Amino acid sequence: MANPTITTKKNIPRAGAERVDAHDKVRGVTRYAADDARPGLLHAALVPSRIARGSITRIDTSAAQRVRGVRTVLTHENVGSFDTGGFLMGGGFGFQSFYPLRSAQIAYRGQSVAVVVADTLEAAREAAALVVVAYEATPFVATLDAPDAEPLAQTAVLPQPMFADRRVGDPEGALAGAAVTVDLRYTLPAQHQNPMEIIATVAEWEDGVLTVREPTQNAEGVRHGLARQLGIEPAKVQVLSPTLGGGFGQKNSLQSHTALVAIAARALQRPVKLVMTRAQLFHNASFRPASRHHVRLGADRDGRLVAAVHEIDQQTSRHDLFPSFGTEITSRLYGIGNYQGRERLVRTDVQTPGYMRAPFEHPAAFAFESAIDEMAYALGRDPVAFRLANDATADPLTGKPFSSRHVAECLIKGSETFGWARRTMAPGSMRAPDGSLVGWGVAIGTYKAAVAPAIATVRLNTSGTVRVAVGGHEMGQGMRTAIAVTVARALGAPVAAVEVALGDTRAAPQHLTAGSWGTATALPPVLEAAQRLMEDLRKNAGSTASESGVTALALLRASGRPFAEAESRRRAPGQPEQVFGRLTGGLPAAAGPVYPDFVGFSFIAHFVEVRIEPTTRRIRVPRVVSVADCGAVASPRTARSQVEGGVVWGIGAALREVSEVDPRYGGFLNADLAEYVMPVAADIGRIEVDFVGKPDLRLNALGVKGLGEVAMVGVAPAIVNAVFHATGKRLRRLPLMLEDLLDS
Ligand code: MOS
């Protein structure tokens, strides 16, 4: 798709269409689930477990019950039986298979042990603090590195092909014969998504139909999961998630508290709202698991990579095996003919970790792209030239072509914009006028170009209103804008006339929106439906059809019909028709990166400048240049914003964010925004974003690939490589701490 016409009055170059939801958002008109204040609304509060593992021996809710305004206190003793919603990666719907209150079991610190419902939030929270729980505690494992934590080979515990080790050629033999080798270990901590909008649920029953308003990336999964948990027909459940204040994977599946809110609402015959606290979000929703990486590379003297072995240990929970996929990308970053990827899972007593933006790709790229930089230095090669010299021409694993691959252009374009040619190779060789050490670093990233099935309808009324319904969730990434712009252009309608229903199970089947497949999934059927509608009107109009510039609305009005409507159903290349059954059943149905005739990946290159204050060693990032290959750019304004956000996330991951664990107690210590340190505006310098912009027409008719996650892949290693260039010090543990640099 070419750039949409600029419709703003201020003609910002290459800005693209304004966000269709921008004005409502900045004026506070947008209503989120937590804003709900419908008549009769009751308020819920969760009571967290104070132990990390064991069981409840006694629970006393009498003091809580006596608080004025309390309507009920649900515990495992009185909640009644309800089913599990299952685990997303095990055929179910939840971020984990464990659903609190189904038994007396405690699986992790912070797990809910009771739900209080009251007339006011204040009463609910006061009463929640008065619930008295006695526990029997059992030994637990809090961290990846605990003595009792035992790695399990993923390929053995999850014996399906999609979880298998990746291997091509003879990596060990090639390593043994390589002229130059590096052998390096990296560690990354657990981290938590902290979207501005915390998780909130409003449940209401009317005539036996349950309506749930909850920010989710997976309304259909929540719907079917709840139906299973409550033992009712999916037709009796509707889930509305029109706008999220950030998802980042934390909201990608059924939460373990949602059914409890619905059960309370049913029992009390009143709508019930639960808004988690920030601290509860750290313990009741998913997070990025801690991981360890062992990378070995071999190269010949000419600077050709001949072998790579990437071994990953990733944290999971006691009750679920959250799989690791990091080697999916490190096997494709370069054209290395001998590659071994191996993933292991380590059980710990936490809620099940999950998908946090570039969940595997960011950690894997941190390790691999740091090692690549070390190899470039070991060979005395410029890090950009070394990467270009090892680019892949086909997928090393499958031998299939890439649907498109322009990572070399990302590197070339980025180095020109950044001024890489002025870099001097030696560590510590560049200084700022104020005496700061200057470091310039580079890294690349890739992320699968996945696609899910979708059904879209476009309806035009004689009033001029266009209604679009499709599967997809607007998390702030700009999907609604991209859809509105696409439909408006196809129909010759103003963007403002297009209403886009997203995240609404009443409007269209809602596939999980994650894995950066949202735009490539929703836009093709939306465009096709709009084109069909236009064709239909043209055919109907006969001779007027040849007029160029004629709008759909003019044709509709001339036709005398009250409305025109068209539908389109699209699925990923190679997917069977039955995949629509998974879509309507609320199950994950995305395909990729391996398709019948090609593999699909998005790419990016990041160039980072760091400045390090020579005595305090304070690290600043004044400048980043990022160039992405995401195929055609569907919505330039929101695409650029996605990359800027990804870079900020990378800066956070490299220099700030860590979820601290006290191994004596489990849980997460710094469970608030004061102590979970994220970059703020003052930490962010200039971020220049550019795109290759070449459509990937093998993947879909618009040529779009994903962008939201590849944006952050490679930022952290580019920063760490820049810190090495500034100081000569290789740091292999994130986030970087000032004390790591103080002794140098
Ligand atoms: Mo994203 S981490 O796949 O929601």
Side-chain angles (χ1 to χ4, degrees):
M1 189 171 104
N3 292 359
T5 322
I6 295 166
T7 54
T8 54
K9 273 178 256 161
K10 304 162 287 175
N11 195 1
I12 304 163
R14 298 184 304 128
E18 284 182 356
R19 286 177 184 267
V20 294
D21 38 18
H23 290 107
D24 281 351
K25 279 196 178 173
V26 297
R27 288 180 300 135
V29 171
T30 308
R31 284 283 168 261
Y32 296 90
D35 297 324
D36 203 282
R38 67 194 51 245
L41 191 63
L42 299 175
H43 300 266
L46 301 172
V47 180
S49 159
R50 300 195 182 281
I51 65 163
R53 192 181 180 197
S55 60
I56 301 166
T57 53
R58 200 174 62 84
I59 186 157
D60 180 357
T61 63
S62 53
Q65 306 263 17
R66 284 197 296 273
V67 173
R68 183 193 298 267
V70 168
R71 300 278 174 153
T72 191
V73 183
L74 297 178
T75 70
H76 69 283
E77 291 174 345
N78 67 1
V79 68
S81 81
F82 65 99
D83 209 344
T84 165
F87 176 40
L88 186 72
M89 295 307 289
F93 303 96
F95 84 87
Q96 62 177 353
S97 64
F98 185 84
Y99 291 79
L101 270 66
R102 290 186 73 238
S103 75
Q105 188 193 343
I106 301 298
Y108 47 90
R109 175 172 290 273
Q111 170 203 317
S112 301
V113 295
V115 183
V116 179
V117 183
D119 291 343
T120 63
L121 178 62
E122 292 76 9
R125 292 205 172 155
E126 182 186 344
L130 295 174
V131 173
V132 181
V133 190
Y135 303 97
E136 186 180 305
T138 50
F140 61 90
V141 170
T143 67
L144 183 64
D145 297 313
D148 296 346
E150 198 193 328
L152 309 168
Q154 179 164 297
T155 194
V157 293
L158 293 170
Q160 292 104 295
M162 68 181 295
F163 305 121
D165 288 350
R166 294 163 215 281
R167 187 184 174 85
V168 63
D170 173 19
E172 299 289 349
L175 266 183
V180 182
T181 57
V182 296
D183 182 332
L184 303 158
R185 290 173 192 272
Y186 300 87
T187 49
L188 298 96
Q191 296 179 316
H192 280 75
Q193 303 97 329
N194 273 283
M196 283 172 73
E197 183 198 28
I198 53 186
I199 296 171
T201 304
V202 178
E204 184 169 31
W205 294 82
E206 278 171 312
D207 305 323
V209 174
L210 170 65
T211 302
V212 167
R213 291 170 169 81
E214 179 182 299
T216 176
Q217 303 166 234
N218 190 0
E220 206 67 50
V222 173
R223 175 178 173 230
H224 283 81
L226 285 174
R228 181 199 282 187
Q229 286 196 275
L230 301 171
I232 59 177
E233 287 300 310
K236 300 282 188 194
V237 184
Q238 47 197 31
V239 177
L240 311 182
S241 177
T243 303
L244 293 81
F248 311 121
Q250 188 177 60
K251 296 168 178 157
N252 75 3
S253 41
L254 179 62
Q255 306 292 349
S256 47
H257 71 275
T258 306
L260 296 170
V261 182
I263 288 169
R266 186 169 59 187
L268 297 166
Q269 302 267 302
R270 294 269 294 271
V272 176
K273 174 164 82 172
L274 173 85
V275 183
M276 278 192 195
T277 63
R278 186 65 67 175
Q280 287 167 351
L281 207 69
F282 275 79
H283 296 97
N284 285 293
S286 76
F287 63 99
R288 189 195 303 284
S291 62
R292 293 187 290 248
H293 300 249
H294 183 194
V295 180
R296 285 175 285 158
L297 302 174
D300 64 25
R301 288 269 167 224
D302 301 329
R304 191 71 220 159
L305 286 162
V306 296
V309 178
H310 187 179
E311 296 171 297
I312 303 174
D313 289 348
Q314 181 183 281
Q315 175 184 26
T316 186
S317 66
R318 178 84 48 201
H319 43 276
D320 291 311
L321 293 163
F322 175 66
S324 171
F325 288 99
T327 63
E328 177 172 86
I329 67 142
T330 58
S331 53
R332 269 82 178 221
L333 280 173
Y334 298 98
I336 306 176
N338 302 289
Y339 178 94
Q340 170 79 53
R342 194 268 288 132
E343 329 240 1
R344 299 192 302 181
L345 304 176
V346 180
R347 289 199 195 270
T348 58
D349 294 291
V350 291
Q351 75 270 33
T352 302
Y355 299 84
M356 174 164 154
R357 195 177 196 173
F360 321 101
E361 297 79 4
H362 148 66
F366 161 62
F368 205 85
E369 278 292 278
S370 295
I372 288 287
D373 211 71
E374 297 213 31
M375 179 58 97
Y377 270 85
L379 291 163
R381 308 253 156 182
D382 171 77
V384 171
F386 180 59
R387 284 171 169 83
L388 286 170
N390 284 283
D391 195 9
T393 49
D395 176 23
L397 284 193
T398 63
K400 294 182 184 193
F402 287 92
S403 59
S404 63
R405 180 183 173 108
H406 304 296
V407 67
E409 274 184 76
C410 295
L411 279 165
I412 292 163
K413 222 172 169 171
S415 52
E416 281 165 9
T417 306
F418 189 82
W420 186 260
R422 298 196 309 275
R423 180 182 187 268
T424 49
M425 181 84 178
S429 62
M430 290 172 73
R431 287 290 158 109
D434 69 356
S436 296
L437 306 169
V438 173
W440 286 5
V442 64
I444 61 172
T446 183
Y447 190 94
K448 66 174 185 275
V451 186
I455 302 172
T457 53
V458 176
R459 183 185 169 112
L460 171 67
N461 296 310
T462 47
S463 65
T465 310
V466 184
R467 289 219 155 87
V468 182
V470 68
H473 301 78
E474 175 60 65
M475 305 172 244
Q477 81 275 43
M479 190 174 190
R480 189 169 265 124
T481 300
I483 292 170
V485 166
T486 301
V487 171
R489 186 155 356 89
L491 300 183
V495 174
V498 185
E499 290 170 16
V500 186
L502 292 174
D504 185 339
T505 59
R506 301 167 308 182
Q510 296 295 316
H511 188 274
L512 159 66
T513 305
S516 297
W517 59 63
T519 303
T521 295
L523 277 192
V526 159
L527 177 63
E528 189 174 70
Q531 287 170 338
R532 278 187 185 155
L533 189 149
M534 198 65 190
E535 270 164 43
D536 177 44
L537 287 170
R538 280 179 190 277
K539 235 180 266 164
N540 190 263
S543 62
T544 29
S546 56
E547 261 178 56
S548 74
V550 67
T551 67
L553 183 60
L555 292 169
L556 175 67
R557 284 183 174 157
S559 76
R561 292 199 235 162
F563 66 89
E565 189 172 63
E567 186 192 278
S568 163
R569 303 152 65 88
R570 307 286 306 186
R571 55 189 195 264
Q575 282 193 317
E577 176 69 18
Q578 300 93 282
V579 80
F580 288 104
R582 288 184 66 83
L583 167 65
T584 53
L587 292 167
V594 179
Y595 299 97
D597 301 325
F598 50 80
V599 298
F601 286 88
S602 293
F603 298 92
I604 199 159
H606 300 285
F607 293 80
V608 169
E609 175 173 325
V610 298
R611 292 198 177 198
I612 300 177
E613 207 283 325
T615 48
T616 65
R617 302 277 155 171
R618 186 180 77 161
I619 306 167
R620 305 291 288 170
V621 184
R623 195 160 73 91
V624 179
V625 171
S626 302
V627 182
D629 162 25
C630 60
V633 180
S635 169
R637 180 188 299 260
T638 55
R640 208 167 49 251
S641 165
Q642 280 283 75
V643 178
E644 288 168 357
V647 169
V648 172
W649 272 59
I651 292 170
L655 301 174
R656 298 282 185 274
E657 292 179 56
V658 51
S659 298
E660 301 281 1
V661 179
D662 184 329
R664 294 171 300 173
Y665 302 110
F668 298 97
L669 284 174
N670 52 338
D672 60 52
L673 292 184
E675 299 201 44
Y676 184 88
V677 186
M678 291 187 287
V680 296
D683 293 318
I684 304 303
R686 203 160 85 223
I687 302 172
E688 286 176 72
V689 177
D690 206 351
F691 298 96
V692 173
K694 289 190 179 155
D696 186 333
L697 296 170
R698 277 174 133 159
L699 208 58
N700 55 60
L702 292 100
V704 297
K705 304 192 275 191
L707 179 62
E709 293 175 89
V710 77
M712 123 170 244
V713 183
V715 178
I719 291 170
V720 175
N721 294 339
V723 168
F724 166 74
H725 182 233
T727 64
K729 201 147 187 204
R730 287 287 181 190
L731 301 179
R732 305 189 187 102
R733 171 185 293 270
L734 292 188
L736 307 188
M737 297 290 177
L738 295 190
E739 55 265 38
D740 296 336
L741 290 173
L742 278 176
D743 58 53
S744 63

